[in-house]
Amino acid sequence: MSDADEWTDYRRRRNIFWLVFVTYVPGVFALGLPLQWLVGSELPIYVVAATWLIAFIVTANRMGAWKCPRCGKAFFRTFWGQNPLARKCVHCRLPKWNPPNPASV
């Protein structure tokens, strides 16, 4: 995978995460309330909310597990913690959005 493809993969993961995060409340109401009315029970809104929450957890983990193009380790995570707002790889200090090798510029 080329350097640009790796950063494109990160950008895609980040955008999907933010999409799930931002649409949680409106999405739960937009899907849950009509289903609640059709079924005649409160259960659908809880199912939709739980499903959206699972999607949030999965997308957050996928974004956090993205591997650094230089060192191949998780860009945002170490064994003792994580920093989802890191501007540099927590292992090799590669700045975000930079190519892993100066020769590839």
Side-chain angles (χ1 to χ4, degrees):
M1 188 180 284
S2 75
D3 300 341
D5 291 342
E6 291 174 354
W7 288 114
T8 301
D9 179 44
Y10 166 70
R11 188 176 288 117
R12 184 178 309 112
R13 289 177 186 215
R14 183 199 62 196
N15 290 344
I16 291 171
F17 165 77
W18 282 112
L19 179 69
V20 170
F21 178 75
V22 169
T23 60
Y24 176 74
V25 172
V28 168
F29 284 112
L31 292 174
L33 289 178
L35 287 173
Q36 180 179 333
W37 179 75
L38 286 172
V39 175
S41 169
E42 292 183 5
L43 183 63
I45 200 160
Y46 295 120
V47 171
V48 170
T51 304
W52 221 291
L53 183 59
I54 291 168
F56 173 77
I57 292 168
V58 168
T59 58
N61 281 324
R62 268 187 50 80
M63 187 178 74
W66 180 76
K67 297 196 182 315
C68 174
R70 181 188 289 164
C71 67
K73 297 177 182 175
F75 193 88
F76 302 100
R77 291 182 183 166
T78 61
F79 72 91
W80 66 84
Q82 66 180 3
N83 181 3
L85 302 175
R87 292 176 168 250
K88 295 180 180 179
C89 174
V90 295
H91 298 281
C92 70
R93 311 304 291 164
L94 173 71
K96 198 185 278 188
W97 310 116
N98 284 7
N101 301 322
S104 62
V105 174

